[in-house]
Amino acid sequence: MSRGKVAALRARLRAAFGPRLRTGVRWKISAAIALVGALVAVALSLVVHNAARVSMLDNARDVQDERILYAQRIYETSGRTSQFGMKIDDPEMPKELLSKVLAGRRATYVEEHDGGVPDIWAAVPLSDGHILSLHTRFTDRSATVMKDLDQALVIGSISVVFGGCALGVLIGGQLSRRLRKAATAAQEVARGQTDVSVRDAIGGVVRDETDDLARSVDAMADALKQRLEAERRVTADIAHELRTPVTGLLTAAELLPPGRPTELVRDRAQAMRTLVEDVLEVARLDSAAERAELQDLMLGEFVTRRIGALNSEVSVTVVHESEVTTDPRRLERILGNLLANAAKHGKPPVEVSVEGRVVRVRDHGPGFPAGLLAEGPSRFRTGSTDRAGVGHGLGLTIAAGQARVLGARLTFRNVTPAGAGPDDPAEGAVAVLWLPEHAPTNTGSYPMLQLSDKYKPDKYKHGK
């Protein structure tokens, strides 16, 4: 088999079995301890079994040696061979034992049988030139003792394996819990919870490597937070410093005589002012200092009214009306940015639907770029080659930041035809705003005082 085929086979096996073979630290430690315990138990069992068997066989040979001496005295004094089953010149005598006796030695011998009880032999040369031998089986009592010993060793080995598994589960469970707590705390830090400490989250009395890991993650998070805060301050300072000259530029442009060059200057100055204001808004959202001013409103009615004011060509469909508690100014900002993005990068018609607490904005353009779908909106990056640098990527970034202040969730997806492949073009883009069921108090928001109708101006009464 060629290397290419082997590599392809490995890739298929890894793809087929890789996810299934993924286990936690608890079970890996448990399996490792159980495996080591099983190996140790088997090794000790074999050593004990062999040592006990050798000891019993040595005792049996000693007993057989004493019997052959006693039988030799009986034979030499009385000539009888009826004791202990002794025989003269037994033809079944093993060759190894016979060779030793022919050398003039008294000897014992253990004859093994496949899967059976061994035979214990003893032989001694006689003065008349014959050979006296004894042949007995390994005693049943000794065989029973060995059998009981083997059962005890098996039970002990199984107990060691299960005990090792239990110990591994306990040790691995504690380590796994600490790692999961550290991972959860790290995810909270990644989501922007700057007051979360991984070291405090894992807790515990015993100090181990997880504490070093948590300390390192906290140090990394602090360093990143300081760097991001420094970058935010620099961005905010630059944008703030640019506000004054940009405002002066707009004022000076108003004084220019009418004409095409004046319109171009005013247009570019206004675009620069919008960019500066957007950068400042992003900096405020990044600082997590923004607070929502909550009011109760009917979502469908509010969206219909605001969309009509922003773009009368956009159709609004209220599938299900719902009362929500949110910040109308920030909600309008989100809707405006989503409509602006659909108008700039999508294609008409643009459709808005309200279903309960969910607002969907859809266009029929080429869809969102893959980078935005995978990572979310990013400032100063439009993420699409067909946009030719149009836009700064701040619109969706601001919309996502305002959604966080409201405690809402803003998601993006593309509309693809049924049966389309991953490389087929999309038929549109959909931005979905999920408003929370309860007021977003966890964002530090606060409710606005609701005035009675008699204190409200007429324009608020009539929704103008």
Side-chain angles (χ1 to χ4, degrees), residues 23 28 36 81 190 206 212 260 273-274 355 357 366 397 420 422:
T23 56
K28 290 180 181 179
V36 173
T81 59
V206 180
D212 299 334
R260 180 59 180 169
R273 180 176 182 178
T274 302
E355 185 175 358
R357 299 176 180 273
T397 302

Side-chain angles (χ1 to χ4, degrees), residues 72 75-76 124-130:
Q72 181 183 10
Y75 177 79
E76 290 178 348
V124 61
L126 300 175
S127 57
D128 56 3
H130 295 286

Side-chain angles (χ1 to χ4, degrees), residues 8-28:
L9 179 60
R10 289 179 179 176
R12 287 197 295 268
L13 291 175
R14 191 180 300 112
F17 297 101
R20 301 179 187 175
L21 296 178
R22 183 180 181 273
T23 56
V25 175
R26 174 190 303 182
W27 303 113
K28 290 180 181 179

Side-chain angles (χ1 to χ4, degrees), residues 324-347:
V324 297
T325 302
T326 187
D327 188 333
R329 180 180 64 85
R330 298 182 187 277
L331 179 57
E332 183 177 1
R333 176 66 162 157
I334 295 173
L335 294 175
N337 284 15
L338 294 180
L339 290 179
N341 181 81
K344 181 180 295 184
H345 305 297
K347 293 181 180 179

Side-chain angles (χ1 to χ4, degrees), residues 26-40 160-161 163-172:
R26 174 190 303 182
W27 303 113
K28 290 180 181 179
I29 294 178
S30 176
I33 294 179
L35 179 61
V36 173
L39 294 176
V40 172
V160 169
V161 171
C165 288
L167 181 62
V169 169
L170 292 176
I171 297 176

